[in-house]
Amino acid sequence: IDWGDGNGVELLPSEVTTANLTHTYSTAGNYQITVGTINWLEYQFLADSNASSSNTLIQTFRDTVISIDEAIPPVANNTSLDYWFYNCKKLVSYTGHIFDNLPNVANAVSTFNGCTALTAISADTLRNQENLTNATSMFEGCTAVTYIPSGLISQCRQLTNATQMFQNCTSLTYYPNTLLLNNAALTT
């Protein structure tokens, strides 16, 4: 783990958990912490089964993540993004190609639900997500988002459910009239 304070990378033994992980900074401030490897398969399982989780790993992540700067690496047989970044209240941004390595996703329920600091949705968020069928509440409660980009769901031709996808996005000022252009399968 690189704590972002210029003191180098700290290698952690496998038995270290977020419950016993600590670091002391010499100066107060904001630091970009880089974690070498996140077991995204384990994270996905925990996120899916713990939407309002008290699980230490999930809660620590949700309470601290500010940005996601790289695409999530391939996760074998992953078909769900349900609750992955649910309630990450400090998440301001993510790379537009965040899910490019996960082409088999069918469900993205509440993926960014409650990310109240998120300021923008990338048009590339769902590119290559041709198998996505359910995006219920995906961006619900993203109160700092001001516009929905054209083409966001244009490659999601199997999408049948987008119920409440942008509900309670109270700062929205732009909603493209072409958003649903390629989504003939959409029923809700």
Side-chain angles (χ1 to χ4, degrees):
I1 191 166
D2 180 347
W3 294 101
D5 57 4
N7 289 326
V9 175
E10 179 181 352
L11 298 177
L12 304 174
S14 61
E15 66 273 6
V16 171
T17 67
T18 56
N20 59 13
L21 183 61
T22 62
H23 182 76
T24 303
Y25 290 96
S26 60
T27 307
N30 289 324
Y31 296 90
Q32 180 170 349
I33 300 169
T34 305
V35 179
T37 303
I38 293 177
N39 182 338
W40 286 101
L41 183 59
E42 177 186 0
Y43 178 83
Q44 183 264 327
F45 171 76
L46 293 171
D48 270 3
S49 58
N50 294 287
S52 56
S53 177
S54 60
N55 177 285
T56 306
L57 171 66
I58 298 298
Q59 199 56 53
T60 299
F61 184 82
R62 289 181 176 158
D63 290 345
T64 58
V65 68
I66 296 171
S67 68
I68 301 165
D69 301 326
E70 296 179 14
I72 295 170
V75 178
N77 303 315
N78 183 61
T79 61
S80 174
L81 298 175
D82 291 0
Y83 302 100
W84 272 42
F85 305 108
Y86 175 86
N87 231 12
C88 289
K89 294 191 180 295
K90 294 181 181 179
L91 180 65
V92 174
S93 64
Y94 61 88
T95 180
H97 307 285
I98 188 168
F99 303 126
D100 277 6
N101 296 319
L102 305 171
N104 299 315
V105 169
N107 294 301
V109 174
S110 293
T111 305
F112 293 99
N113 186 328
C115 295
T116 55
L118 187 64
T119 57
I121 298 170
S122 169
D124 291 328
T125 303
L126 296 172
R127 105 182 159 151
N128 301 325
Q129 297 303 319
E130 297 167 2
N131 297 312
L132 184 66
T133 58
N134 188 355
T136 300
S137 300
M138 186 172 185
F139 295 100
E140 181 177 347
C142 293
T143 56
V145 170
T146 58
Y147 71 95
I148 299 168
S150 297
L152 176 65
I153 58 175
S154 64
Q155 292 185 24
C156 304
R157 291 185 177 92
Q158 311 244 357
L159 186 64
T160 57
N161 190 346
T163 305
Q164 301 174 334
M165 190 171 183
F166 303 104
Q167 181 170 317
N168 297 323
C169 293
T170 54
S171 296
L172 278 179
T173 58
Y174 176 73
Y175 185 96
N177 60 1
T178 58
L179 184 66
L180 306 176
L181 190 62
N182 294 324
N183 303 99
L186 194 60
T187 57
T188 58

